[in-house]
């Protein structure tokens, strides 16, 4: 159980990486289309909350998942409309949406469930063996429907961006919106579509967070949206690399859990918790200045 | 599909309370090359954009065939067979040529997958038919200007356009490439296409146009067939007068230069290897004396732009010595060099201008905060007014955004800033790339006069230009660059053929 290279490690890495990877891929979709998206954190939180609320109310995890994804997509689309149509600065809109998500979920938590900290538990999905051996853990992770959807969305993204009409137009809108518009591309529409996809994928991460804990906890996204954004930047806005960065981050966090288990609350435990963040800073430091952002990021077509 | 006749019927276009095009009438017919000329800011680009659905008219109608162009969008124009090539390329730099070509008109298979093979096939067929060859798999930003130009035209044809409107296509081309372009355009016109070309080079009108429309202050002031040999039609001198609304400018008088004048700008062994390991500059040696104007000729991509960038201090990898007066600049930063070296880079859009800043701010960009102790304060307002007047920047409103000015007036801002701030005399040098690119006859004369004046005051001047006629007019000496080297030095009396040969690397006959 306590070995660093074990099935437990693999399972934990995957489980931890899913929300990061979803948010990062979502960030790639948004920013490759040219819309600055710092609201990933808010989407994670909102979709986590909505999925739990609907799951509690309906008693159905599937409905919870659907509602969570719809909420994330809607939230993301709202951001795109604020930026494209109302011409609100994307950073301002992103901050506003994050604040709204924090305050809104807290308030609803209190209103719906009468608690400041968490919702009642939900069943969520339970597939696979119940044991606690590494192989059981891994089987459960791999059989989780949310994880499967997340993996599919993540795997499809590079292909969609590189090889389809939607992808080409998304990249054109992000690289040079004026040129795209002159070529007959409806840039706002392309961006709305990209942000819908982005929001839905990010929401998978949020739903995963909540279902993994079998409940919603106030502020449970805990900075993951921002770390994912860092992964996007480090990866040079490429989905596959961003996911790799998230997996690496997940592995470090899993390692930290395993090590902490071993250290067993000794003095080193607090330091070990810092490990993933220090690693992020280091990677960012090395990658800074080398990665090139989409050149039309934050620009309008006219 | 037959090429459509495009008719502008009393078309007016306003920006705020400014009228850029006023009640203009024009007819563009199939089978003809139609030249549109006029001063900077006369409204030529606006007229073309109206015809191509990029802008909607404020009043009047644009007719394509028998019906009004509505809605006025590029997509609708393309559907009706009208395509435009913009003054500033509208290409996605990070895309491959093929991706740019198909963007907005992508052939797809199931699931929206791009059908690259059929796009390539179609593109290749058009390229073979028209001679517009472009490396389709190259990333667009690595293409030369000429290739990008061809890509733009290919793209318009790819969409099935039969009317092609080109906004200053030759401004960025060498004379040779420009001739090739016109050959292609002529072939398209003979094939029944409608062709309109905006240009500032009147010799092109004389050599290639079937019909010419002159615009002045937003109005069409003249529209005639241009017959090269016939009588009764419009001729060169009339054209200049119609464009300027007055007499042609005085011819340029090259300032005299003392034979034994002191060396001001000294370049020794300047070399540069790019990130890909390509040698861009090979030990360039060049000395320019007090008051001397040296012209650099060369086919685009032979190291001219790198030379300018290296002199400006923008290429940290460059080795060799650059000195002005007796001040060694090689180790200095871009900013420190500016005190004695004025540089105008080639691409004013990317590197010369802040589109989103005002004209006033752009005119004094980099001049604020340079004040040393004891020096008189920099009078920003005075500098802006002086620079605007001296270079006749139009409209003369410092509060306007630079991006809203016509292309030629943007160029004037960049030149004004570089020349006006240099201290006069033998302690300064100016390096100007394509100083009159996209500038009208009158403004070109004003810029030439300013260059002459700078040289007369003792400044050493280097000019890089694709326009050999310009170099022969201005320079005391023309040097030819090829493959990153200076290969020959010629007198301005050399013919264009001789200079062209040197550029191509052929021995003089
Ligand atoms: N988007 C805009 N907003 C405000 N004014 C504009 C805009 N576009 C053009 N103008 C103004 O309209 C006038 C005509 O511009 P236009 O670009 O058509 O000139 P042009 O004849 O093409 O000049 P050039 O030879 O310099 O390219 C100019 O005075 C310009 O400042
Ligand atoms: Mg123009």
């Amino acid at each position: 159980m306590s070995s660093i290279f074990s099935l437990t490690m693999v399972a934990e890495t995957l489980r931890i990486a899913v929300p990061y990877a979803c948010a990062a891929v979502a960030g790639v979709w948004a920013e490759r289309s040219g819309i600055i998206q710092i609201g990933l954190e808010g989407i994670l939180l909102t979709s986590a909350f909505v999925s739990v609320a609907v799951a509690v109310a309906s008693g159905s995890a599937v409905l919870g998942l659907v509602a969570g994804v719809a909420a994330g997509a809607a939230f993301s689309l709202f951001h795109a409309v604020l930026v494209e149509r109302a011409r609100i600065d994307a950073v301002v809109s992103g901050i506003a949406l994050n604040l709204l998500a924090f305050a809104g979920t807290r308030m609803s938590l209190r209103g719906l469930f009468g608690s400041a900290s968490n919702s009642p538990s939900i069943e969520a999905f339970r597939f696979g063996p119940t044991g606690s051996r590494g192989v059981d853990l891994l089987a459960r992770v791999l059989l989780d429907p949310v994880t499967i959807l997340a993996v599919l969305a993540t795997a499809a993204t590079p292909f969609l961006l590189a090889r389809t009409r939607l992808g080409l137009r998304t990249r054109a809108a992000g690289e040079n919106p004026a040129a795209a518009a002159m070529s007959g591309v409806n840039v706002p529409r392309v961006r709305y579509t990209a942000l819908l996809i982005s929001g839905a994928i990010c929401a998978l991460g949020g739903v995963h967070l909540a279902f993994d804990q079998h409940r919603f906890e106030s502020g449970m996204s805990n900075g993951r949206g921002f770390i994912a954004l860092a992964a996007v930047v480090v990866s040079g806005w490429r989905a596959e690399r961003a996911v790799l960065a998230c997996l690496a981050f997940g592995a470090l966090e899993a390692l930290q859990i395993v090590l902490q288990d071993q250290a067993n609350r000794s003095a080193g435990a607090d330091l070990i918790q810092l490990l993933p963040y220090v690693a992020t800073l280091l990677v960012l430091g090395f990658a800074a200045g080398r990665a090139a952002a989409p050149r039309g990021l934050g620009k309008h077509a006219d | 599909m037959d090429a459509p006749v495009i008719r502008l019927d009393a078309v007016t276009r306003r920006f705020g309370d400014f009228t850029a095009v006023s009640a203009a009438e024009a007819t563009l017919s199939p089978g003809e090359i139609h030249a549109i000329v006029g001063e900077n800011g006369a409204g030529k680009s606006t007229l073309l954009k109206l015809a191509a659905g990029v802008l909607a008219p404020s009043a009047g109608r644009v007719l394509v065939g028998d019906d009004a162009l509505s809605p006025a969008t590029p997509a609708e124009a393309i559907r009706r067979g009208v395509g435009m090539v913009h003054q500033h390329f509208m290409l996605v730099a990070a895309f491959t040529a093929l991706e740019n070509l198909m963007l907005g008109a992508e052939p797809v298979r199931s699931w929206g997958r791009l059908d690259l093979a059929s796009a390539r096939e179609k593109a290749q067929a058009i390229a073979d038919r028209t001679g517009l060859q472009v490396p389709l798999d190259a990333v667009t930003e690595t293409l030369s200007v000429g290739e990008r130009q061809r890509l733009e035209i290919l793209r318009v044809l790819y969409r099935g356009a039969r009317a092609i409107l080109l906004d200053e296509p030759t401004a960025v081309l060498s004379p040779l490439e420009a001739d090739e372009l016109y050959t292609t355009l002529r072939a398209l016109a003979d094939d029944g296409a409608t062709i309109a070309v905006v240009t500032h080079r009147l010799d092109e009108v004389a050599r290639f146009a079937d019909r010419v429309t002159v615009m002045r202050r937003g109005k069409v002031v003249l529209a005639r067939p241009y017959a090269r040999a016939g009588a009764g039609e419009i001729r060169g001198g009339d054209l200049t007068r119609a464009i300027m609304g007055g007499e042609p400018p005085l011819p340029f008088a090259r300032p005299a230069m003392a034979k034994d004048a002191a060396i001001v700008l000294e370049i020794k062994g300047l070399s540069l290897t790019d990130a890909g390991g390509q040698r861009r500059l090979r030990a360039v040696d060049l000395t320019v004396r007090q008051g001397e104007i040296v012209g650099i000729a060369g086919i685009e991509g032979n190291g001219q732009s790198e030379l300018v960038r290296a002199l400006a201090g923008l290429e940290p990898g460059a080795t060799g010595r650059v000195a002005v007066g007796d001040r060694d600049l090689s180790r200095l930063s871009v900013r420190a060099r500016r005190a004695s070296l004025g540089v105008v880079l080639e691409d004013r859009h990317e590197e010369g201008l802040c589109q989103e800043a005002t004209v006033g701010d752009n005119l004094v960009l980099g001049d604020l905060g340079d004040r040393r102790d004891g020096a008189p304060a920099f009078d920003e307002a005075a500098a802006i007014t002086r620079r605007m007047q001296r270079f006749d920047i139009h409209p003369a409103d410092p509060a306007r955004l630079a991006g809203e000015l016509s292309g030629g007036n943007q160029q004037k801002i960049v030149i004004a800033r570089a020349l006006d701030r240099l201290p006069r005399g033998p302690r300064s040098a100016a390096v100007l790339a394509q100083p009159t690119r996209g500038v009208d006859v009158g403004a070109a004369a004003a810029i030439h006069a300013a260059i002459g004046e700078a040289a007369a005051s003792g400044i050493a001047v280097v000019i890089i230009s694709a326009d050999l006629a310009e170099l022969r007019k201005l320079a005391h000496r023309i040097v030819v660059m090829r493959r990153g080297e200076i290969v020959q030095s010629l007198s301005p009396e050399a013919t264009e053929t001789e200079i062209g040969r040197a550029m191509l690397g052929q021995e003089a006959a």
Side-chain angles (χ1 to χ4, degrees), chain B residues 45 87 167-168 407:
Chain B
S45 296
Q87 186 164 4
D167 197 355
E168 298 193 30

Side-chain angles (χ1 to χ4, degrees), chain B residues 244-474:
Chain B
M244 301 195 53
E247 282 309 300
L250 295 174
F252 176 77
R254 190 184 296 135
M257 179 202 137
K259 274 241 157 19
D260 52 351
I263 290 174
V264 174
L265 172 65
E266 187 179 21
I267 304 170
K268 240 189 156 54
L270 191 63
S271 294
L272 176 68
T273 307
D274 70 10
Q278 286 261 26
R279 293 193 64 187
R280 294 293 174 186
L281 296 175
R282 300 164 193 259
V284 172
D285 290 330
L286 183 67
T287 51
V288 186
R289 294 170 184 276
Q290 180 175 346
E292 187 180 23
I293 305 176
V294 171
I296 298 187
I299 294 168
E300 142 112 29
N302 276 274
Q304 302 94 314
S305 11
E306 287 84 357
L307 176 62
V308 179
R309 294 178 57 82
L311 291 177
L314 288 166
E315 297 286 358
T319 56
R321 182 183 143 89
V322 178
V324 173
D326 33 28
R327 188 159 169 249
D328 186 352
L329 303 186
S330 333
R331 300 254 157 274
L332 300 184
S333 68
V334 178
R335 189 183 156 87
R337 290 180 188 214
R338 286 162 35 98
S340 45
L341 185 67
V343 177
V344 168
L345 297 170
E346 196 167 10
D347 191 341
R348 61 169 178 256
H349 239 215
E350 288 295 321
E351 298 175 316
L353 215 58
C354 290
Q355 306 283 324
E356 280 93 23
T358 64
V359 170
D361 287 348
N362 267 294
L363 275 169
V364 292
L365 203 64
D367 285 338
L368 307 179
D370 259 353
R371 197 183 138 213
R372 269 168 225 95
D373 284 334
F378 180 76
D379 188 343
E380 185 182 345
I384 293 174
T385 317
R386 182 177 67 244
R387 289 172 190 184
M388 251 178 359
Q389 273 172 1
R390 194 147 158 242
F391 291 85
D392 190 25
I393 291 164
H394 193 87
D397 174 7
R400 213 175 246 272
L401 293 186
E404 291 175 1
L405 256 58
S406 74
N409 280 295
Q410 294 179 350
Q411 176 77 356
K412 291 188 216 165
I413 294 180
V414 180
I415 298 272
R417 196 175 54 208
L419 285 185
D420 188 69
R421 65 184 301 284
L422 272 189
R424 318 268 102 185
R427 314 202 67 79
S428 323
V431 178
L432 314 170
Q434 318 291 354
T436 58
R437 174 170 281 181
V439 161
D440 69 45
V441 228
I447 290 175
H448 288 166
I451 292 173
E453 207 178 286
S457 84
I459 297 179
V461 183
V462 176
I463 294 170
I464 289 144
S465 176
D467 185 349
L468 295 184
E470 173 172 57
L471 291 183
R472 292 178 61 227
K473 183 155 78 177
L474 299 186

Side-chain angles (χ1 to χ4, degrees), chain A:
Chain A
M1 158 80 191
S2 53
S3 158
I4 292 176
F5 302 100
S6 64
L7 288 179
T8 308
M9 258 297 284
V10 176
E12 286 288 280
T13 299
L14 261 178
R15 183 182 67 82
I16 293 168
V18 167
Y20 289 112
C22 287
V25 170
V28 168
W29 269 102
E31 304 218 326
R32 286 300 283 276
S33 86
I35 292 193
I36 299 168
Q37 174 57 301
I38 61 167
L40 298 170
E41 184 76 10
I43 297 177
L44 284 176
L45 206 54
T46 308
S47 53
F49 179 82
V50 170
S51 67
V52 170
V54 171
V56 168
S58 68
S60 155
V62 173
L63 278 185
L65 168 62
V66 171
V69 168
F75 210 69
S76 179
L77 180 64
F78 184 46
H79 175 59
V81 173
L82 286 183
V83 173
E84 276 299 299
R85 190 170 262 258
R87 297 283 159 118
I88 289 173
D89 185 274
V91 174
V92 173
S93 162
I95 292 175
L97 291 180
N98 280 336
L99 292 176
L100 184 71
F102 272 104
T105 51
R106 279 189 83 122
M107 200 180 73
S108 311
L109 199 57
R110 212 173 260 287
L112 283 179
F113 304 119
S115 162
S117 61
N118 57 269
S119 74
S121 322
I122 54 164
E123 185 56 16
F125 298 111
R126 283 187 200 277
F127 294 104
T130 46
S132 63
R133 288 172 308 154
V135 55
D136 301 325
L137 281 178
L138 187 58
R140 279 206 296 277
V141 166
L142 292 179
L143 287 174
D144 174 46
V146 183
T147 305
I148 293 172
L149 285 177
V151 169
L152 287 179
T154 303
T157 293
F159 169 79
L160 289 173
L161 281 176
R163 295 289 171 80
T164 66
R165 168 157 61 191
L166 173 66
L168 185 77
R169 293 185 173 191
T170 301
R171 287 184 286 131
E175 286 288 336
N176 189 343
M182 289 301 170
S183 309
V185 173
N186 185 335
V187 172
R189 198 164 71 197
V190 166
R191 288 179 168 174
Y192 294 153
T193 311
L195 270 271
L196 266 178
I197 296 173
S198 162
I201 296 178
C202 190
L204 283 177
V207 175
H208 184 279
L209 267 183
F211 281 17
D212 189 49
Q213 299 295 316
H214 295 274
R215 64 180 189 182
F216 178 81
E217 291 162 15
S218 182
M220 77 187 305
S221 53
N222 200 16
R224 286 179 176 81
F226 293 109
I227 291 184
L229 208 56
V232 172
V233 174
V234 169
S235 70
W237 284 264
R238 272 167 299 200
E240 60 283 10
R241 293 193 189 190
V243 170
L244 274 183
C246 290
L247 279 172
F249 194 79
L252 282 171
E253 216 175 297
L255 182 67
Q256 170 230 316
I257 292 174
V258 172
L259 286 180
Q260 204 173 10
D261 230 35
Q262 288 175 341
N264 211 2
R265 304 212 177 96
S266 74
D270 292 340
L271 282 179
I272 291 168
Q273 274 191 329
L274 281 176
L275 199 61
Y277 300 95
V278 172
T280 309
L281 277 179
L282 284 179
V283 172
L284 264 181
F286 280 117
R290 257 190 294 152
R295 266 169 271 192
L297 189 58
K299 286 191 193 156
H300 292 288
D302 44 63

Side-chain angles (χ1 to χ4, degrees), chain B residues 8-25 46-47 50 55-62 215 218-219:
Chain B
L8 303 184
D9 180 14
V11 172
T12 297
R13 169 71 202 206
R14 283 182 280 270
F15 294 105
D17 51 11
F18 177 80
T19 307
V21 169
S22 129
E25 302 276 349
T46 308
L47 190 81
L50 287 163
L55 293 172
S58 312
R61 289 186 313 164
V62 177
M215 294 193 69
K219 297 198 169 63

Side-chain angles (χ1 to χ4, degrees), chain B residues 33 130-133 146-147 149-150 153 170 173-188 204 207-208 299 504:
Chain B
I33 295 182
T130 56
L132 290 163
Q133 296 293 349
E147 284 170 328
Q149 179 78 254
R150 288 201 287 277
I153 300 172
T170 54
L173 300 183
S174 67
L176 220 67
E177 289 172 310
D179 283 4
E180 267 170 37
L181 174 69
Y182 277 106
T183 312
T184 310
L185 293 180
R186 172 57 68 197
L188 289 170
E204 289 175 1
R207 287 166 62 206
F208 304 109
I299 294 168
L504 286 168

